[in-house]
Amino acid sequence: MMNIPLNITKTIHDWIFSIMPEMAANITEWVLIAIVYLALFAVAGLYLVLLERKVAAWFQLRLGPNRVGPWGLFQTMADALKLVSKELTSNDRIDKFLYNLAPYFVIVTSLMAMAVFPYSKQFQGFDINIGIFFLFAISSIGVIGILVAGWSSNNKFSLIGAMRSGLQTISYELSVGLSILTMVLLTGTLQLSEIVEIQRTGGWLILQGHIPAIIAFMIFMIAGTAETNRAPFDLVEAESELGAGFHTEYSGMKFAYFFLAEFINMFIIASIAVVLFFGAWLSPFGITEGITWFPEVIWFLIKVLIIIFLMMWFRWTFPRLRVDQLLTLEWKYLLPLNLVNLLIMAIVIWLNWTI
């Protein structure tokens, strides 16, 4: 079970093992952990939607949601209840099996990715020595849900949106991977907890790696925003061209799954950036010891929210790119720059110029 340093956790652990056989107790603990992550998933998704609306209102000099609950805090909960109560509709010629399966591809892969992040020294659901590789693999599966949704909907706009998503993901996955590989080269490990420990003694990796690390972060943010299909890279859901893109034919909770997954994927991209570049849960005021009275998980969430705000800033600042501009940016600029930056990082490490 998650090693959260609370007496209540140990008490629950001991109680479960005292009343059940070992296998049943382990399964029960896995179910409890899954419930914790599902709750985190739901709460994070709902309130990132609220944050998006507030940030958009701030940029456009509006108030945003302010009626349902204090400061509009319950607005997204009301929207979720509305989606739960809506009728599930579809056209007559869909591929029913794939149509119903697609939303779960997207939602399950996002949930699995959240499990490997070290939210604090003790709060990490799944710590494996190939954590970065695991994130690569899981993020590659997520796009299958979008492709399946577009194909099975029997709608030309859905299919075009799905094809765009596949094209965009294949292209920008290279830049995301190479920017992460640059930092893996610096740390020498794929395990997320070890990457954090390296920053405990040597400082944030964005400082240890000098200019190559800063370039890697900038490329990662651009490519990561494209990976989440957010503006200015939202050609997958271009409203003026495709209606709602790949989820045009979805309604109710099935539509909500796609909508929620977009914001959770934004949380995942921000979490990767925080772990690889900004010390994860480590305090910025004392990398070695931190502020003991301030919960580590709060530092992690503060950093993640700052990165998410930056991604939202992109959305409400830049216009949508054309398809040719999207591909030109990746293949002519980001990819060559990434390869050169990876070589420079290797030289920096070879000459021992890191902090």
Side-chain angles (χ1 to χ4, degrees), residues 302-321:
I302 288 173
K303 295 174 185 177
V304 166
L305 287 174
I306 291 172
I307 299 296
I308 287 174
F309 174 77
L310 183 61
M311 296 174 73
M312 291 178 177
W313 195 342
F314 290 166
R315 173 170 185 171
W316 300 105
T317 302
F318 299 109
R320 181 184 299 134
L321 299 179

Side-chain angles (χ1 to χ4, degrees), residues 168-325:
Q168 191 166 314
T169 300
I170 290 170
S171 299
Y172 281 86
E173 191 80 28
L174 293 171
S175 285
V176 169
L178 286 172
S179 58
I180 292 176
L181 186 60
T182 303
M183 305 312 294
V184 170
L185 191 65
L186 177 61
T187 59
T189 181
L190 293 171
Q191 189 166 356
L192 296 175
S193 58
E194 287 188 10
I195 291 173
V196 178
E197 288 301 315
I198 290 170
Q199 296 175 85
R200 180 195 289 274
T201 55
W204 291 354
L205 290 179
I206 198 168
L207 301 177
Q208 289 190 48
H210 301 298
I211 293 177
I214 296 172
I215 294 174
F217 171 69
M218 294 172 65
I219 294 173
F220 177 81
M221 287 304 302
I222 295 171
T225 304
E227 280 282 287
T228 57
N229 298 323
R230 288 182 57 82
F233 307 99
D234 61 337
L235 289 166
V236 176
E237 305 173 25
E239 297 89 353
S240 58
E241 305 167 24
L242 305 180
F246 62 90
H247 51 62
T248 298
E249 295 293 341
Y250 285 88
S251 64
M253 277 307 296
K254 291 177 183 177
F255 166 78
Y257 287 157
F258 286 112
F259 188 66
L260 188 62
E262 176 185 327
F263 287 89
I264 295 301
N265 288 335
M266 188 165 52
F267 181 89
I268 290 168
I269 291 293
S271 297
I272 295 173
V274 165
V275 171
L276 287 181
F277 298 98
F278 299 106
W281 45 265
L282 296 171
S283 165
F285 302 109
I287 299 300
T288 304
E289 298 179 0
I291 300 177
T292 56
W293 52 265
F294 203 73
E296 294 169 343
V297 69
I298 300 299
W299 282 126
F300 184 92
L301 292 177
I302 288 173
K303 295 174 185 177
V304 166
L305 287 174
I306 291 172
I307 299 296
I308 287 174
F309 174 77
L310 183 61
M311 296 174 73
M312 291 178 177
W313 195 342
F314 290 166
R315 173 170 185 171
W316 300 105
T317 302
F318 299 109
R320 181 184 299 134
L321 299 179
R322 299 193 310 264
V323 174
D324 62 310
Q325 293 172 329

Side-chain angles (χ1 to χ4, degrees), residues 75-218:
Q75 179 65 57
T76 51
M77 295 181 67
D79 292 340
L81 290 173
K82 180 191 72 172
L83 287 170
V84 168
S85 64
K86 275 192 173 291
E87 181 183 1
L88 298 176
T89 61
S90 61
N91 64 52
D92 295 332
R93 298 183 180 181
I94 61 170
D95 185 320
K96 290 186 178 180
F97 175 73
L98 294 178
Y99 176 86
N100 293 318
L101 179 65
Y104 296 99
F105 259 109
V106 177
I107 210 82
V108 170
T109 53
S110 299
L111 184 59
M112 290 175 67
M114 289 181 68
V116 299
F117 292 118
Y119 297 98
S120 72
K121 187 175 182 180
Q122 291 80 22
F123 184 11
Q124 186 175 8
F126 188 41
D127 186 20
I128 52 176
N129 59 358
I130 54 168
I132 295 293
F133 183 76
F134 178 83
L135 285 172
F136 271 133
I138 290 299
S139 64
S140 299
I141 294 173
V143 71
I144 295 176
I146 296 176
L147 292 171
V148 168
W151 171 261
S152 64
S153 293
N154 193 36
N155 180 304
K156 62 182 179 182
F157 298 120
S158 298
L159 183 58
I160 292 171
M163 293 299 104
R164 285 184 178 183
S165 177
L167 174 69
Q168 191 166 314
T169 300
I170 290 170
S171 299
Y172 281 86
E173 191 80 28
L174 293 171
S175 285
V176 169
L178 286 172
S179 58
I180 292 176
L181 186 60
T182 303
M183 305 312 294
V184 170
L185 191 65
L186 177 61
T187 59
T189 181
L190 293 171
Q191 189 166 356
L192 296 175
S193 58
E194 287 188 10
I195 291 173
V196 178
E197 288 301 315
I198 290 170
Q199 296 175 85
R200 180 195 289 274
T201 55
W204 291 354
L205 290 179
I206 198 168
L207 301 177
Q208 289 190 48
H210 301 298
I211 293 177
I214 296 172
I215 294 174
F217 171 69
M218 294 172 65

Side-chain angles (χ1 to χ4, degrees), residues 323-343:
V323 174
D324 62 310
Q325 293 172 329
L326 181 84
L327 297 178
T328 297
L329 176 64
E330 165 61 16
W331 294 101
K332 287 189 177 181
Y333 297 101
L334 293 185
L335 184 59
L337 180 59
N338 237 326
L339 292 170
V340 173
N341 192 52
L342 183 62
L343 178 61

